[in-house]
């Protein structure tokens, strides 16, 4: 079974909720356990919130990925916001430019199996994460 | 249907019987000779030494059902009933140790027996024989395929279930008294098992309404950083559900690993051995700990 | 989305819904603190049973609620965190340190009743 690509425009905090709800639905359809679906939905929530907080708008794309012998889910968060000056710093537990907990990005990395981030100052940020089905 | 498909249909087939008509004739033949063909098939099964785990009577009973389902699938060209039967059959015979090749084998044997009887019946009308076989073969292959797939799926399901059961067994969450759970961990813990353990414990806390959990790791020889992290997360997650965790049987090596990853052992509730851990748990729960008499 | 706040004796009970947005959470924080002052409540139970995701923002809001309520002399108990949500939270690094937790509403009430028994 294959799930088409789902795109959610992120413009406000309301969209964070709908993005993570859609993520949970796709994760369930792909056969993830409800425990894993919760991890995936939580990761989506963090990524979408960063878009709202730092770039104001962007989008979340959720789709199925196929590996050699496995199937999984990919979540791509991209925006055309200010970008991140120092990615290594941003990935550190507790680093935040907004006085928050600074757990979002490092936490998402722990929640998911694969984590890739690219960012360019003044151009925007793209985070792609994947989780494989056990 | 695309144009090319229409063009590829040989013109004769329009003049002659439609495949479905041929199948009807075929089904009638198989029904008429049911007793004899089924018998022949059963003999072939035992000659080929298939289904050796089953008795003669069992084979005969299953063969009858399979034969009837087979003919029905040919007739209706609907495979749902056969699929359901294949799954049901698999469910019954998998515990007997029947292997995939045996199931595929008997269905192919049946295909063979039936094809032979068609040869015998139509040997004088070669053209018709060919048309009948053309109609029969794809249907027979689909049937064989359906049964095989059903069997393999069922087998996978059974294996998954067994693995699940083994895992559950190897990490039991024990309720020793109301609101007190013990999780004795034994052996090697890899990240996958650690995750399972945590999920099991958290679910156990909820279903048993546990307030205190004793995690005993006396039986754990070594713990790498990943697993140690997991242990800490388990303690934290349990607290989020309102349960206190006591860790017992912490070896000096594991304690060292925990310190290395930045765990404040002072914040973690650790007690030397399981007995001590249970006593502390009972105190937390408000029981009076008595060494001789059963606590009330 | 409205978050119902129920007054039960000296306690307030706030029940979170599944799909609370950031704005809802902010509004709730204000509302709760005001009500604690108004009713001179001794404690607040926040029931999150319905929440299927607890991310850093929700978690931080809960901590802030607990903190503000403590400044007004009352206590906060978070009840009903689902096992799967708890697992996701600790992976993320959210442990609600310093905030009391209980399995569900019943346990939360039992905990508070026990705690305030002597002074009641
Ligand atoms: N999409 C983005 N665009 C620009 N900057 C970002 C983006 N995402 C994250 N950042 C930067 O990286 C920092 C770390 O992000 P992270 O999500 O880990 O923490 P936080 O958002 O500050 O706090 P928390 O997520 O715990 O509430 C942010 O403070 C911000 O400076
Ligand atoms: Mg963030």
């Amino acid at each position: 079974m294959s799930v088409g690509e789902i795109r959610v425009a992120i413009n406000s905090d309301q969209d964070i909720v709908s993005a993570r709800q859609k993520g949970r639905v796709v994760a369930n359809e792909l056969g993830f356990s409800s425990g894993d679906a919760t991890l995936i939905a939580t990761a989506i929530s963090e990524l979408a919130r960063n878009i709202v907080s730092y770039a104001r708008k962007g989008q979340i794309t959720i789709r199925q990925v196929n590996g050699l012998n496995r199937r999984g889910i990919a979540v791509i968060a991209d925006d055309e916001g200010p970008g991140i000056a120092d990615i290594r710093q941003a990935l550190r537990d507790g680093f935040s430019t907004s006085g928050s907990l600074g757990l979002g990005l490092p936490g998402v990395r722990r929640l998911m199996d694969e984590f890739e981030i690219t960012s360019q100052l003044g151009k925007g940020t793209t985070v792609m994460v994947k989780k494989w089905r056990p | 249907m695309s144009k090319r498909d229409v063009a590829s249909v040989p013109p004769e087939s329009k003049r002659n019987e439609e495949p479905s008509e041929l199948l009807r004739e075929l089904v009638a033949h198989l029904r008429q000779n049911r007793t004899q063909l089924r018998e022949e098939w059963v003999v072939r099964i035992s000659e080929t030494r298939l289904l050796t785990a089953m008795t003669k009577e069992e084979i005969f009973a299953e063969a009858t059902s399979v034969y009837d389902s087979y003919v029905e699938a040919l007739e209706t060209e609907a495979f749902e009933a056969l699929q359901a039967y294949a799954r049901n059959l698999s469910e019954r015979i998998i515990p007997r140790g029947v292997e995939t090749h045996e199931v595929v084998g008997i269905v192919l044997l049946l295909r063979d027996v039936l094809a032979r009887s068609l040869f015998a019946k139509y040997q004088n009308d070669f053209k018709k024989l060919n048309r009948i076989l053309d109609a029969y073969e794809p249907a027979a292959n689909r049937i064989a395929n359906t049964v095989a797939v059903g069997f393999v799926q069922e087998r996978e399901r059974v294996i998954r279930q067994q693995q699940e059961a083994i895992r559950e067994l190897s990490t039991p969450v024990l309720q020793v008294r109301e609101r007190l759970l013990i999780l004795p961990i034994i052996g090697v813990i890899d990240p996958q098992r650690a995750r399972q353990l945590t999920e099991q414990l958290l679910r156990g806390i909820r279903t048993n309404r546990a307030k205190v959990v004793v995690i005993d790791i006396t039986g754990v020889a070594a713990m790498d950083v990943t697993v140690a992290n997991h242990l800490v997360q388990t303690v934290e997650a349990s607290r989020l559900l309102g349960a206190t965790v006591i860790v017992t049987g912490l070896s000096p090596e594991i304690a060292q690993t925990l310190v290395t990853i930045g765990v404040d052992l002072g914040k973690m509730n650790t007690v030397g051995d399981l007995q001590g851990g249970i006593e502390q748990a009972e105190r937390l729960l408000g029981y009076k700990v008595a060494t001789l008499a059963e606590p009330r | 989305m409205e978050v119902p706040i129920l007054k039960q004796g000296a306690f307030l009970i706030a029940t979170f819904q599944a799909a609370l947005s950031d704005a809802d959470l902010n509004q709730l924080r204000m509302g709760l603190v005001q009500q604690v002052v108004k009713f001179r409540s001794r404690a607040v139970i926040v029931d999150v049973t319905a929440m299927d995701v607890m991310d850093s923002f929700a978690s931080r809001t809960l901590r802030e609620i607990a903190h503000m309520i403590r400044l007004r002399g009352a206590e906060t108990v978070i009840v009903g965190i689902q096992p799967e949500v708890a697992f996701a939270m600790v992976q993320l690094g959210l442990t609600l340190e310093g905030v009391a937790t209980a399995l569900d509403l019943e346990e939360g009430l039992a905990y508070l009743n026990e705690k305030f028994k002597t002074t009641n």
Side-chain angles (χ1 to χ4, degrees):
Chain A
M1 175 220 44
S2 135
V3 177
E5 200 169 86
I6 290 182
R7 225 172 278 236
V8 187
I10 305 294
N11 297 307
S12 72
D13 62 335
Q14 268 301 333
D15 299 328
I16 301 174
V17 176
S18 56
R20 72 182 184 219
Q21 284 172 341
K22 293 204 169 101
R24 183 185 290 277
V25 170
V26 175
N28 285 334
E29 278 170 10
L30 289 176
F32 280 98
S33 69
S34 72
D36 276 338
T38 300
L39 300 184
I40 292 162
T42 308
I44 292 175
S45 199
E46 291 300 329
L47 295 176
R49 172 156 296 102
N50 279 355
I51 291 177
V52 174
S53 312
Y54 307 112
R56 309 214 110 137
K57 60 188 177 54
Q59 59 177 355
I60 298 274
T61 308
I62 305 161
R63 58 179 166 81
Q64 175 180 342
V65 279
N66 296 308
L68 217 51
N69 275 317
R70 53 189 184 168
R71 212 160 49 171
I73 192 171
V75 176
I76 300 136
D78 64 282
D79 63 61
E80 292 172 4
I84 299 173
D86 184 342
I87 288 179
R88 276 185 45 190
Q89 199 177 32
L91 290 180
R92 212 170 291 153
D93 267 327
F95 175 82
S96 174
T97 55
S98 62
S100 189
L101 303 172
L103 288 175
L105 290 177
V108 167
R109 202 177 183 176
R110 284 189 290 266
L111 290 168
M112 305 293 282
D113 295 333
E114 285 178 32
F115 181 100
E116 271 170 51
I117 181 168
T118 50
S119 188
Q120 222 178 328
L121 273 184
K123 288 263 172 67
T125 303
T126 301
V127 183
M128 163 138 102
V129 293
K130 289 181 191 160
K131 192 168 198 72
W132 299 104
R133 257 184 49 185
Chain B
M1 206 187 252
S2 73
K3 273 190 188 127
R4 216 190 38 213
D5 284 338
V6 175
S8 74
V9 173
E12 309 96 283
S13 75
K14 288 229 165 64
R15 272 185 272 120
N16 294 307
E17 306 93 324
E18 288 295 314
S20 59
E21 224 168 283
L22 290 168
L23 274 180
R24 226 171 295 140
E25 186 175 335
L26 171 71
V27 165
H29 168 70
L30 300 182
R31 287 240 160 86
Q32 256 163 33
N33 301 285
R34 176 173 180 259
T35 315
Q36 179 216 330
L37 289 173
R38 186 185 49 188
E39 182 60 37
E40 217 175 297
W41 181 36
V42 171
V43 169
R44 291 281 306 276
I45 289 176
S46 52
E47 274 173 12
T48 327
R49 302 197 52 75
L50 289 172
L51 303 184
T52 46
M54 294 166 72
T55 67
K56 267 229 142 54
E57 292 73 34
E58 282 172 329
I59 293 179
F60 191 78
E62 294 297 355
T64 304
S65 313
V66 175
Y67 188 95
D68 292 343
S69 315
Y70 191 102
V71 175
E72 196 188 304
L74 277 177
E75 183 176 36
T76 60
E77 285 182 81
F79 292 78
E80 288 79 20
L82 183 70
Q83 221 161 27
Y85 177 75
R87 234 176 279 131
N88 174 282
L89 170 72
S90 310
E91 212 175 307
R92 274 178 289 121
I93 63 180
I94 286 169
R96 310 285 305 270
V98 173
E99 297 288 338
T100 311
H101 79 265
E102 296 185 274
V103 171
V104 177
I106 63 167
V107 178
L108 292 180
L109 270 184
L110 178 58
R111 195 188 66 171
D112 213 40
V113 168
L114 301 189
R116 277 176 200 217
S117 95
L118 294 176
F119 276 121
K121 180 172 160 86
Y122 296 107
Q123 58 188 341
N124 296 324
D125 186 351
F126 195 66
K127 267 199 173 140
K128 180 143 197 185
L129 173 65
N130 263 339
R131 283 202 306 276
I132 290 253
L133 288 178
D134 280 349
Y136 173 63
E137 262 195 42
N141 287 337
R142 254 191 87 187
I143 291 174
N145 203 34
T146 302
V147 173
V149 168
F151 184 84
V152 169
Q153 280 174 349
E154 180 60 25
R155 219 175 119 89
E156 277 175 1
R157 196 185 64 78
V158 169
I159 291 172
R160 262 201 309 277
Q161 228 172 30
Q162 285 169 342
Q163 282 173 340
E164 198 59 35
I166 290 170
R167 267 190 231 112
E168 299 267 320
L169 272 181
S170 58
T171 54
V173 177
L174 311 168
Q175 184 177 32
V176 282
R177 63 156 77 228
E178 220 179 306
R179 331 220 70 184
L180 170 54
L181 294 181
I182 294 186
L183 180 68
I185 307 176
I186 295 163
V188 182
I189 327 178
D190 54 26
Q192 199 202 340
R193 189 167 161 231
R195 159 97 192 259
Q196 223 145 28
L197 246 136
T198 309
E199 288 190 335
Q200 220 182 315
L201 177 66
L202 296 179
R203 262 183 275 130
I205 290 174
R206 210 178 163 81
T207 42
N208 297 296
R209 306 183 64 78
K211 288 214 60 110
V212 185
V213 176
V214 179
I215 300 181
D216 180 48
I217 55 173
T218 311
V220 178
M223 211 180 254
D224 65 12
V225 170
T226 317
V227 174
N229 260 315
H230 220 99
L231 176 66
V232 176
Q233 287 173 355
T234 306
V235 174
E236 287 167 343
S238 302
R239 194 196 76 86
L240 289 177
L241 300 190
T244 305
V245 175
I246 300 169
V247 179
T248 61
L250 203 68
S251 71
E253 289 80 15
I254 295 178
Q256 187 56 49
T257 308
L258 288 172
V259 170
T260 312
I261 61 170
V263 178
D264 183 351
L265 280 181
K267 276 194 192 162
M268 207 149 137
N269 219 334
T270 60
V271 175
D273 62 2
L274 181 58
Q275 184 57 37
I278 292 176
E279 279 168 20
Q280 181 177 340
E282 290 179 331
R283 270 194 297 278
L284 283 176
L285 285 169
Y287 294 108
K288 284 206 190 75
V289 180
T291 24
L292 289 174
E294 261 297 292
R296 270 183 302 147
Chain C
M1 198 177 292
E2 272 296 303
V3 174
I5 301 177
L6 203 90
K7 186 173 171 299
Q8 168 126 348
F11 308 142
L12 291 181
I13 301 169
T15 311
F16 278 28
Q17 310 301 310
L20 286 184
S21 69
D22 299 3
D24 297 328
L25 283 168
N26 281 328
Q27 202 189 329
L28 174 77
R29 177 171 50 192
M30 301 304 293
L32 259 180
V33 174
Q34 279 167 7
Q35 302 234 26
V36 167
V37 173
K38 183 172 161 199
F39 295 116
R40 294 161 189 263
S41 305
R42 309 185 95 172
V44 173
I45 295 181
V46 180
D47 186 352
V48 298
T49 307
M51 288 188 83
D52 65 341
V53 165
M54 182 88 78
D55 61 7
S56 59
F57 186 84
S59 176
R60 186 167 55 130
T61 308
L62 285 178
R63 267 174 64 172
E64 282 170 11
I65 288 176
H67 185 69
M68 291 168 83
I69 286 173
R70 192 175 307 133
L71 288 179
R72 278 150 187 86
E75 190 177 348
T76 305
V77 186
I78 313 287
V79 305
I81 298 177
Q82 298 299 313
E84 288 164 2
V85 174
F87 186 68
M89 285 174 73
V90 298
Q91 293 267 300
L92 210 49
L94 307 168
T95 55
L96 291 178
E97 212 171 307
V99 184
T101 49
L103 190 70
D104 54 17
L105 194 55
E106 192 187 328
E107 282 300 309
L109 282 169
Y111 165 82
L112 289 174
N113 282 326
E114 178 72 18
K115 180 154 186 169
F116 292 111
K117 200 167 55 186
T118 44
T119 45
N120 245 348

